[in-house]
Amino acid sequence: MPKHRLSRKGRYIALTTTGAVVVAGALAAAQSSMAAPAWPAQKTYTGRAFDTCAAPSLAAMKAWRKDGHYGGVAVYVGGKNRGCAQPNLTKSWVKSVDTLGWRVIPLYVGAQPPCQKSRNKERFTAATAASVGVSNANDAIAKASALGLKAGSPIYLNMESYDITDKACNEATLAYVRSFTKTLRAKTYRAGLYGFSSSSAKAIATAKDRRDLPGNLWYALWNGQETTTKDWPWDPKLYTGHSRGHQYKANSKETRGGHTITIDRNAWDAPVAIIG
């Protein structure tokens, strides 16, 4: 969609290079490879969710919630590479949509790989991957906290497509992701990653070294299948227990309750924000 994440154009340039339930923090061990403070109970949502570049108006969110088709909404909480301004995204907005029954999915558009072809404002290199991962994670936590997203919430790192066959680039990307993830976990925020099934999500799912990788994986596979299981491309034992999201259709214009929004459609079975 227009200016979605790195911008619609940027996404396609990059591609050419390659019911809610609250559960106990049973996944805390999987979420952290280090000793950590007591984890808040995880909040998960299973159902339909949508993401769109700019958080919709509260009037639109009320109308769409009344329609009842979607129960989850992803919002871009920050990052220098975020594609859209967010005039509606405030702490008050978050609290209001939570009260309406929406499950909020926080996205952060962090630095992007050195070999990625799309234009962006922030990249990391092999030399800076770890330090940029720390600074991006701290910024993501600050942005999420300012919106009222409490510790225990997930933050999904938006990693657009890059050439994962470029070994040096892929190793730098994994170093950045691990640093981002480890920093989140140290402050009891859960880590997730959004990426394409042919690229960044694949790099995470197939990495042999599983240390400090995100505990939740949101994969973009635009096949029109509303599922997180039937088309799962990797080891079926990975990311089980409410840890998957599937973006199955992009740039879909929908009208609900008189409000039209261009969205990406998602099947969701993963953590969502804890609002406070």
Side-chain angles (χ1 to χ4, degrees):
M1 64 189 57
K3 295 185 178 178
H4 196 49
R5 299 184 180 90
L6 298 177
S7 82
R8 183 181 181 183
K9 182 179 179 182
R11 295 174 81 191
Y12 285 93
I13 291 173
L15 277 168
T16 61
T17 67
T18 33
V21 182
V22 177
V23 300
L27 296 181
Q31 282 284 337
S32 181
S33 61
M34 69 187 84
W39 281 79
Q42 177 171 284
K43 185 176 182 179
T44 62
Y45 165 69
T46 302
R48 297 187 184 100
F50 75 89
D51 59 280
T52 187
C53 192
S57 68
L58 188 55
M61 294 302 293
K62 287 179 179 178
W64 276 51
R65 186 65 189 136
K66 187 175 181 180
D67 176 272
H69 186 77
Y70 293 99
V73 58
V75 295
Y76 292 89
V77 300
K80 291 181 181 179
N81 292 320
R82 184 169 63 174
C84 283
Q86 301 290 337
N88 296 319
L89 187 57
T90 64
K91 187 174 183 178
S92 175
W93 184 93
V94 169
K95 184 65 175 178
S96 294
V97 299
D98 178 64
T99 300
L100 289 170
W102 286 102
R103 302 310 182 211
V104 176
I105 302 162
L107 264 166
Y108 184 85
V109 192
Q112 298 295 307
C115 61
Q116 192 186 87
K117 302 301 182 184
S118 58
R119 296 178 180 178
N120 48 60
K121 297 177 181 178
E122 185 181 27
R123 294 181 188 271
F124 53 83
T125 67
T128 65
S131 61
V132 174
V134 170
S135 63
N136 276 189
N138 284 327
D139 183 58
I141 291 167
K143 296 293 195 301
S145 179
L147 290 170
L149 311 182
K150 299 172 66 175
S153 296
I155 299 176
Y156 293 85
L157 177 62
N158 190 131
M159 183 61 64
E160 294 293 325
S161 288
Y162 67 95
D163 183 4
I164 62 174
T165 66
D166 183 328
K167 185 177 179 181
C169 185
N170 193 55
E171 288 179 352
T173 303
L174 290 175
Y176 166 79
V177 172
R178 287 189 171 100
S179 179
F180 185 94
T181 299
K182 190 173 181 179
T183 304
L184 287 188
R185 291 173 178 167
K187 298 184 179 180
T188 59
Y189 278 80
R190 292 177 163 88
L193 182 133
Y194 164 89
F196 288 90
S197 63
S198 59
S199 179
S200 44
K202 182 179 180 179
I204 297 302
T206 60
K208 292 181 179 179
D209 182 355
R210 305 303 302 168
R211 289 176 299 174
D212 295 321
L213 292 179
N216 305 286
L217 192 59
W218 178 4
Y219 61 105
L221 177 58
W222 299 337
N223 58 6
Q225 297 185 38
E226 188 183 314
T227 179
T228 61
T229 55
K230 294 179 181 178
D231 65 350
W232 178 253
W234 307 292
D235 184 342
K237 292 180 286 187
L238 285 175
Y239 295 100
T240 57
H242 306 294
S243 295
R244 299 177 185 173
H246 174 205
Q247 186 185 79
Y248 63 88
K249 186 173 182 178
N251 303 309
S252 173
K253 185 175 287 188
E254 295 189 27
T255 301
R256 299 186 180 279
H259 292 264
T260 301
I261 310 173
T262 301
I263 66 167
D264 295 342
R265 298 179 184 178
N266 301 276
W268 200 259
D269 185 25
V272 294
I274 300 170
I275 312 298

